[in-house]
Amino acid sequence: MNKSNKQAGAGSSGTSRRERTIDIVNKRLEKRYRKEKRFRLYGMLSIIASVLFLAFLLTSIVSNGYSAFWQTYIKLDVQLDPDMIDKEDPGRSNYQGIIKQAIGAYYPEVKDRKERRELYSLFSSGAAFQLRDEVLKNPAVVGTTLSLWVLADDDVDMLMKGHIKRNVPENERRLNDKQLQWIAKLEAGKRIEERFNTTFFTAGDSREPELAGIWGAVKGSFYTMLVTLALSFPIGIAAAVYLEEFAPKNLATDFIEVNINNLAAVPSIVFGLLGLAVFLNFFGMPRSTPLVGGIVLMLMTLPTIIIASRAALKAVPPSIREAAFGVGSSKLQVVTSHVLPLALPGMLTGTIIGMAQALGETAPLLMIGMVAFIVDIPGGFTDPAAVMPVQIYLWADSPERAFVERTSAAIMVLLAFLISMNALAVVMRKRFERRW
Amino acid sequence: MKKTVTLAALLLLLTGSLSVIGCGPKADQAAKDGQQTGQTGEEAQVARDYISIVGSSTVYPFATVVAEQFGKTTDFKTPKIESTGSGGGFKLFSAGVGVEHPDITNASRRIKKSECEKCAENGVTEVVEIKIGYDGIVMANSKSVEPFNLSRKDIFLALAKDVPNPSGAEGELVPNPYKTWKDVNPELPETKIEVLGPPPTSGTRDAFVELAMETGAKEFAWIKALKKEDKDKFKQISHTVREDGAYIEAGENDNLIVQKLDANPNALGIFGFSFLDQNTDKIQGAFIDGVKPTFSAISDGSYVLSRPLFFYVKEAHVGKIPGMREYLAEFTSEKAWGDEGYLTEKGLIPMPKEEREKYATVAEELISISCDKL
C-alpha cells in the first residue's frame, strides 16, 4: 500500500504538489476509524454474550427453584387422646398412629387397607415428628383436639405446584384418581395451602424432599470455612510478608515463588488426594469432618492468598518505607506499623476471594469422605458434615422430582453466600483502599 | 491509622460473631461426646458414636432412607453414608478393623473372592452378608414415541464395540457397522442408535454389561464356546461398549439422562428402575425379551435385567459402635424391606418372604460368610 502511494506520488510530482504526510494519514483515517469501531463492537458482543449466558443461567435457576421456598401443608384436626400418650416419656408415644387416626377421621369413607395406605401416603412421614414436637413443647395440648398444619408428601406438593399434571392418564402420574379426589376434598375444605418453607432453612439432609433442608450443609460449610480461614489467613500473610519484605533474593526463594504460582493452578482434586494420604491415612484424623475438609481447602486457598498479599505489599510505595527508615524505624517496625496496615485491604480482598472459591469446591472433599448423606446437623469441627456444593450435588442426583426445585433453591442460597462474600471484598477495598 | 483501627475492630467483630454462632451446640456436643468415650478400649483413636457406611451408589438411595428412619426413631445418631461405588466401598471396608474404617459397605453385586481375602488379610475376618432385595435396570425412551421392544441380542449387537460379521462368517469380528436399530433387527424402527448410559466406573454399567450384553453375546454359539476356551477374549467381546458416539456416557446423574430423553425422543437411556418409577409421565421402559419393566415383573424374575443388592457388615464392630444391631434390625424389618415397606416406595424390589426371613436371621445372629464358598 505504502509503496504504491509513493509511486503515485512520484509520478504526479511534475504537475501537482508532492503528497503530504497529512494526506496519507487522512486517507487512512476512515479505515482506522472503522477498525476501532469493529474492535469496540467485538468487545461489546463478548460482553453481551456473557451477560446473556449469565441471565440464562440465573433465570433457569430461579425459575426452577423459587417454588422450593414454598411447601404444601395440610390442616389436620388431631385428637390427642391422653391414653395414646406415654406419660413417663411423651416423646416415645406412637405419634404415627395418632396422625393416621386423625387422617382416618377426616376420610371415614376410606376403609380398604390398600386405599388407606394410599391415603396416608398423601401426608409426609414427618407429620408424626411435627406432632411430637408440638406435644413436647406444650404438654397441655394432651386431651384436646389440636388443629395442626402438617407437611404434605412431596408428590402432593409437586401436584399443588403444577409439576405433576392432573389431566394426564392415571398411570402416567404418581398420584392416582382416588388420591386426586381426596386432595380435592382438602381443597374444598380450605385445608391445604402453600406456606413459606421454613424446613428448608432449618433442617439437615433427608431422603424425603419435604423434610430436606440446607441448614446442615450451611453449618458444615461454616465450620469448614472457619478452619480454612483460621489457618490460611495467618499462614498466607506471614508467608507473603516474609517473601516480599525479608527474604533474600536467591535461587531458593525463586524456586519457592515458582512453586506457589504453580500450586495456584493445580486441579483441586489433587489437594483431596493429598488430604486423604496425609491427614486421614498418616495422621489418622477423622473422616468426613470439617476439620480435615478445612485443612484441605486451606492448602487450596493458600497460593491465592499469598499471591494476592504479595501484590498488595508490592503496591505500597517505597517512599513509605524510606520515610519510616528515615525516622529511625527498625525493619520490623516498618513492616508492622506502616507497610502491613496499608497492604491489609488488598490482602483481605485476596483472602475473601480465596475463601469464596473454597466455599464452592467439592472435588477435594470427595476424597476425604465429605460427599456423604448426613442427616444430623453438625455441632462441631469433628462431627461428620457435608458442605453446600456437596448438598447440591447429592440432591441433583436424587430420583424424587421435588429435589429438582430444591437443588436450584440450594444453588440460590450458595450464590447468595458467594455474592455477599464478594460484596464484602468490594466494600472493604472501597472503604480502606488508599491511592497514591 | 484510624482506619486501621476500624479495620481491626471489624475483623475482630467478624471472627467474634462467627464463633458465637458456632459455640452454642458445641458445648452440648462436648457433653454428649464425653458420655460416649468410655468404650473405645485399647484403640487410642477418637471414639465414633455414629455408624459409618460406604459403598454402592445403587444401594445408597435405600440405605439412606433406612438410616434416616433409624436416626429419627431411635436415640442413636443418624449413620453417615458415602456413595463410593461397590468396588470403592469394599476397598475402604477391607482396610481393617477400628473406628477409622467403615462398619458397613453397600454393594450392587456380591463380594468377590479377592475382596473377601483382602478383608481377612487385614484382620476383618468376620463379615456378614445381607441381601436386601433387587434392582431393575431399565432402558427407557421418551413417552412421545413408541416403546422399544428389544432382545438382549439386539442390545449386544447395537452396543458392542466389535460384533460378529453380519455375513455370518464364524469367528470373525468387525467393528460395529450398525447405524440404526433397523440395521440390527429389521423389526425395530429406523431410528439412529443413540443410547445414554452410565460411565464404566458405575455399578449400573457393570451390571448392564453383564446381564444384557454378555447374555446377548452368548446367542452366538461360537462366542459362547469361547467362554470356556478363552475367557479374556470372551470378556473383551461381550463387555466392550462401542466408542463411536452411539453410546453416550452421560455421567452418573440419572436425572440428567431423564431430562435428555425427554428432549430427544430418538434416544434410549439406561438407569435404575427407581428413576423410571419416579418419571412415568415422561419416559417409558423398553420391553426386554418381551417383558415390560414393572414392579411385579422384576420381583418375580420375569424381567431379566435385574440384580440383587447387598450390604456387608463388619462383625468386629458390632457392640463397639453404638446402634449397629439396631440398624440391622431396622433394615431387615418388614416395615422397611417388606412387600409394603417404605423401601418399596423408593423403588426397591423386595425379596420373596422366605428369603427375607433367611436374611433377617442372618442379621440377627450375625452369621458370617466364608471366602472359600464365593
Side-chain angles (χ1 to χ4, degrees):
Chain A
M1 205 42 160
N2 271 338
K3 212 174 175 184
S4 69
N5 271 347
K6 250 182 208 161
Q7 278 167 350
S12 59
S13 64
T15 49
S16 63
R17 288 180 295 131
R18 265 183 73 89
E19 205 170 20
R20 288 182 304 160
T21 321
I22 187 75
D23 295 326
I24 302 172
V25 170
N26 278 339
K27 244 190 239 161
R28 289 178 54 204
L29 205 53
E30 203 183 330
K31 203 176 158 215
R32 285 167 60 198
Y33 281 148
R34 271 209 311 272
K35 205 170 178 180
E36 187 179 328
K37 233 182 187 165
R38 263 204 313 276
F39 185 73
R40 281 195 202 180
L41 193 72
Y42 293 148
M44 244 147 71
L45 278 179
S46 51
I47 287 181
I48 290 172
S50 33
V51 166
L52 275 180
F53 282 129
L54 185 68
F56 181 70
L57 177 78
L58 285 180
T59 36
S60 82
I61 290 172
V62 171
S63 64
N64 265 330
Y66 76 97
S67 54
F69 296 122
W70 279 268
Q71 160 70 31
T72 309
Y73 280 77
I74 301 172
K75 191 173 161 189
L76 262 189
D77 294 326
V78 188
Q79 206 168 2
L80 282 162
D81 190 344
D83 297 337
M84 299 269 298
I85 309 284
D86 194 328
K87 284 187 190 57
E88 306 283 293
D89 185 2
R92 285 213 167 278
S93 322
N94 180 11
Y95 291 103
Q96 197 71 49
I98 303 177
I99 290 281
K100 282 182 178 170
Q101 247 179 29
I103 301 169
Y106 190 68
Y107 295 98
E109 71 276 13
V110 184
K111 291 269 188 285
D112 178 57
R113 196 165 163 268
K114 184 167 169 273
E115 284 191 4
R116 285 193 88 118
R117 268 176 56 86
E118 286 171 0
L119 175 61
Y120 297 148
S121 74
L122 296 181
F123 296 81
S124 165
S125 60
F129 301 110
Q130 262 179 294
L131 181 65
R132 184 183 69 182
D133 293 346
E134 208 63 35
V135 170
L136 292 181
K137 204 166 68 193
N138 182 12
V141 294
V142 177
T144 62
T145 301
L146 188 66
S147 251
L148 193 63
W149 285 93
V150 297
L151 285 164
D153 187 63
D154 55 312
D155 287 334
V156 179
D157 190 40
M158 289 293 98
L159 180 86
M160 297 305 285
K161 285 173 181 166
H163 296 306
I164 293 180
K165 291 191 178 56
R166 294 178 195 228
N167 51 10
V168 293
E170 191 175 5
N171 61 355
E172 290 182 14
R173 50 181 139 80
R174 301 258 312 150
L175 294 163
N176 60 31
D177 288 342
K178 259 189 238 114
Q179 286 172 312
L180 288 190
Q181 277 170 25
W182 293 327
I183 293 170
K185 186 178 175 187
L186 287 171
E187 279 170 323
K190 296 240 175 300
R191 280 176 171 270
I192 186 162
E193 69 176 34
E194 304 262 308
R195 298 180 147 202
F196 183 69
N197 190 355
T198 42
T199 318
F200 184 73
F201 295 99
T202 55
D205 195 6
S206 168
R207 281 309 313 286
E208 301 301 328
E210 71 273 12
L211 298 176
I214 191 91
W215 184 238
V218 169
K219 278 199 95 177
S221 274
F222 164 77
Y223 286 121
T224 311
M225 288 296 111
L226 210 61
V227 173
T228 309
L229 181 67
L231 291 172
S232 64
F233 187 64
I235 296 179
I237 286 185
V241 168
Y242 180 77
L243 281 176
E244 200 57 40
E245 302 288 332
F246 295 97
K249 191 105 182 86
N250 57 24
L251 215 62
T253 48
D254 276 351
F255 180 71
I256 290 173
E257 193 174 335
V258 168
N259 272 302
I260 289 174
N261 289 337
N262 276 338
L263 271 181
V266 163
S268 55
I269 186 98
V270 175
F271 293 104
L273 284 166
L274 180 83
L276 176 70
V278 176
F279 302 119
L280 294 186
N281 292 347
F282 188 72
F283 289 112
M285 285 171 149
R287 210 176 147 84
S288 314
T289 55
L291 181 67
V292 180
I295 295 174
V296 167
L297 291 178
M298 176 271 281
L299 295 177
M300 205 194 82
T301 41
L302 261 184
T304 316
I305 295 180
I306 295 178
I307 291 168
S309 301
R310 292 189 67 180
L313 286 168
K314 270 200 194 104
V316 176
S319 56
I320 304 274
R321 293 187 184 86
E322 281 154 16
F325 281 131
V327 296
S329 301
S330 73
K331 188 136 194 189
L332 183 67
Q333 282 173 323
V334 172
V335 171
T336 51
S337 23
H338 298 276
V339 179
L340 202 53
L342 289 171
L344 207 53
M347 295 174 159
L348 280 179
T349 314
T351 309
I352 293 174
I353 288 170
M355 296 290 288
Q357 211 179 14
L359 184 67
E361 203 52 73
T362 42
L365 302 180
L366 188 74
M367 306 309 302
I368 53 165
M370 278 185 95
V371 180
F373 176 73
I374 290 152
V375 175
D376 297 334
I377 291 165
F381 297 103
T382 51
D383 278 357
V387 293
M388 277 190 280
V390 165
Q391 194 64 76
I392 292 167
Y393 167 74
L394 289 175
W395 283 351
D397 220 14
S398 302
E400 290 82 7
R401 190 156 321 157
F403 273 123
V404 174
E405 57 169 30
R406 274 164 178 80
T407 308
S408 294
I411 293 173
M412 280 193 263
V413 173
L414 180 63
L415 281 181
F417 270 92
L418 289 174
I419 290 171
S420 46
M421 279 177 89
N422 285 330
L424 187 71
V426 171
V427 167
M428 282 207 172
R429 196 165 53 215
K430 281 264 176 297
R431 181 127 172 62
F432 300 108
E433 191 180 45
R434 262 218 214 160
R435 290 190 182 279
W436 288 283
Chain B
M1 260 310 86
K2 214 174 174 188
K3 274 189 173 175
T4 335
V5 177
T6 342
L7 190 71
L10 205 114
L11 254 179
L12 262 175
L13 205 86
L14 198 80
T15 40
S17 62
L18 289 182
S19 46
V20 167
I21 314 174
C23 256
K26 223 170 73 188
D28 215 78
Q29 190 52 43
K32 222 178 184 177
D33 283 347
Q35 282 170 12
Q36 260 147 0
T37 23
Q39 55 201 344
T40 358
E42 68 259 31
E43 289 127 28
Q45 288 282 345
V46 207
R48 181 150 56 74
D49 56 355
Y50 54 88
I51 302 171
S52 168
I53 302 171
V54 293
S56 164
S57 54
T58 316
V59 186
Y60 173 87
F62 308 123
T64 45
V65 179
V66 177
E68 196 180 338
Q69 276 293 323
F70 169 77
K72 280 192 175 139
T73 51
T74 64
D75 293 333
F76 298 104
K77 284 196 165 184
T78 313
K80 177 197 85 182
I81 305 181
E82 283 176 56
S83 155
T84 59
S86 303
F90 281 123
K91 206 172 156 197
L92 288 164
F93 182 80
S94 63
V97 175
V99 285
E100 69 272 32
H101 303 295
D103 314 313
I104 294 175
T105 185
N106 299 322
S108 54
R109 57 170 171 78
R110 255 195 123 178
I111 190 168
K112 287 181 192 156
K113 196 168 182 191
S114 58
E115 287 162 340
C116 185
E117 281 161 357
K118 183 94 190 293
C119 280
E121 249 170 62
N122 290 326
V124 187
T125 44
E126 315 277 275
V127 176
V128 182
E129 175 186 74
I130 293 159
K131 189 167 156 188
I132 60 168
Y134 297 90
D135 175 46
I137 298 171
V138 299
M139 292 185 79
N141 64 346
S142 163
K143 264 228 138 117
S144 58
V145 290
E146 286 289 301
F148 271 87
N149 196 340
L150 302 169
S151 70
R152 281 176 282 182
K153 188 178 167 190
D154 297 337
I155 297 173
F156 168 69
L157 288 178
L159 294 180
K161 192 175 179 201
D162 297 308
V163 292
N165 197 333
S167 68
E170 267 198 20
E172 203 180 300
L173 289 170
V174 289
N176 199 326
Y178 305 115
K179 295 270 181 269
T180 69
W181 288 101
K182 206 182 169 81
D183 296 343
V184 174
N185 180 347
E187 283 165 28
L188 291 169
E190 198 175 348
T191 41
K192 205 175 131 211
I193 299 175
E194 213 175 333
V195 177
L196 301 158
T201 47
S202 155
T204 313
R205 162 87 167 255
D206 287 348
F208 175 78
V209 164
E210 205 164 294
L211 293 166
M213 290 182 52
E214 194 179 309
T215 325
K218 280 192 204 150
E219 301 268 318
F220 296 90
W222 65 271
I223 299 184
K224 194 177 178 186
L226 209 57
K227 187 172 185 182
K228 284 198 193 97
E229 294 155 21
D230 187 352
K231 220 173 169 184
D232 288 338
K233 176 91 178 159
F234 171 75
K235 266 208 151 159
Q236 199 205 331
I237 297 171
S238 61
H239 284 214
T240 316
V241 174
R242 68 198 285 186
E243 288 157 353
D244 56 358
Y247 182 89
I248 304 153
E249 278 172 15
E252 296 259 19
N253 190 332
D254 294 347
N255 266 330
L256 201 71
I257 301 184
V258 173
Q259 279 175 27
K260 282 184 182 158
L261 291 182
D262 197 28
N264 178 3
N266 286 333
L268 270 169
I270 301 170
F271 38 79
F273 175 72
S274 52
F275 282 84
L276 175 66
D277 194 33
Q278 289 277 345
N279 293 290
T280 41
D281 56 336
K282 286 186 188 158
I283 50 172
Q284 58 194 351
F287 290 82
I288 306 287
D289 290 350
V291 183
K292 205 176 174 182
T294 57
F295 195 87
S296 50
I298 301 172
S299 174
D300 65 23
S302 57
Y303 182 78
V304 287
L305 299 188
S306 82
R307 58 180 158 163
L309 304 175
F310 300 91
F311 70 85
Y312 291 85
V313 185
K314 214 175 267 179
E315 205 180 318
H317 285 195
V318 179
K320 289 249 170 60
I321 305 289
M324 292 274 288
R325 261 179 202 287
E326 291 79 359
Y327 176 79
L328 294 184
E330 174 75 35
F331 214 130
T332 55
S333 69
E334 279 297 300
K335 74 173 169 143
W337 73 358
D339 286 329
E340 294 191 338
Y342 55 74
L343 286 176
T344 61
E345 270 163 45
K346 292 285 173 194
L348 180 79
I349 318 289
M351 295 180 284
K353 195 156 175 44
E354 309 82 64
E355 218 176 349
R356 288 204 299 271
E357 276 163 6
K358 180 185 146 200
Y359 280 102
T361 327
V362 169
E364 202 181 289
E365 291 168 12
L366 298 171
I367 304 165
S368 51
I369 49 167
S370 97
C371 295
D372 302 331
K373 283 193 188 148
L374 291 170

